[in-house]
Amino acid sequence: MSVVDPMVDDVPDLPSEWREKIMKVLIATTELQGLDSEDFSRTVPGELVVDVGPCQDATATDDWSCACSRSFVGVSSGQLTTTAKVVDGIAVDGDGYRAAVMQGLKHWCCPDCARDIARLSLSIAHQWDVGTVLERSRSTIRAREHRMLS
């Protein structure tokens, strides 16, 4: 199983091929929801989601009980979900994707932060196979595996 521990400063600018057409993005999914007793999804299934990382309160106090430390944010709804799915075939160029993220996040973060979030989220999506359901824990993103419910 691959694990990604992304840092915004480590994410390069979008490669030129991403500017033409983005092939992989993250969307909200209910697939594999409920495998963890603390799962939740308030997003609209299928909406673009981004990884904004844990809030400063969680990292500063080392209190990881905050929902932000284990969730993705819906670009349209502004709501949280504990699972995201990697999909392709989204016919949008890099500028359009960035604009959508910036529009969706404009009420709670600055344009520069929204651009970094868009770039980081694309980088995450491009590291995983299409169809992979992801979860996050603190700053770690990993594939969610099918587990037996007890």
Side-chain angles (χ1 to χ4, degrees):
M1 168 177 38
S2 295
V3 175
V4 178
D5 191 3
M7 297 297 294
V8 172
D9 294 336
D10 297 334
V11 179
D13 285 332
L14 292 176
S16 60
E17 64 270 17
W18 291 8
R19 290 187 184 104
E20 295 173 15
K21 182 177 180 185
I22 294 173
M23 297 304 296
K24 293 185 198 177
V25 295
L26 302 175
I27 62 164
T29 184
T30 56
E31 189 176 333
L32 302 181
Q33 275 283 323
L35 295 181
D36 185 306
S37 63
E38 296 183 355
D39 275 350
F40 58 85
S41 182
R42 298 179 196 105
T43 54
V44 177
E47 81 172 291
L48 287 173
V49 295
V50 292
D51 175 38
V52 299
C55 68
Q56 288 182 349
D57 289 342
T59 56
T61 63
D62 205 29
D63 176 7
W64 298 101
S65 62
C66 182
C68 70
S69 68
R70 55 189 166 79
S71 59
F72 301 90
V73 176
V75 170
S76 297
S77 68
Q79 298 296 311
L80 302 176
T81 183
T82 53
T83 54
K85 187 173 186 175
V86 179
V87 298
D88 71 355
I90 304 295
V92 62
D93 63 17
D95 291 336
Y97 176 82
R98 264 193 302 257
V101 171
M102 290 174 67
Q103 178 67 25
L105 303 182
K106 73 179 182 181
H107 296 293
W108 60 273
C109 75
C110 71
D112 287 341
C113 293
R115 274 192 292 278
D116 286 343
I117 290 167
R119 195 175 45 181
L120 173 63
S121 297
L122 285 178
S123 178
I124 291 167
H126 281 270
Q127 294 178 46
W128 298 92
D129 291 333
V130 170
T132 304
V133 175
L134 302 176
E135 63 184 4
R136 73 181 330 280
S137 176
R138 300 181 183 192
S139 60
T140 300
I141 309 268
R142 63 179 163 251
R144 177 165 279 199
E145 297 178 353
H146 292 274
R147 294 179 273 230
M148 296 294 289
L149 292 174
S150 28

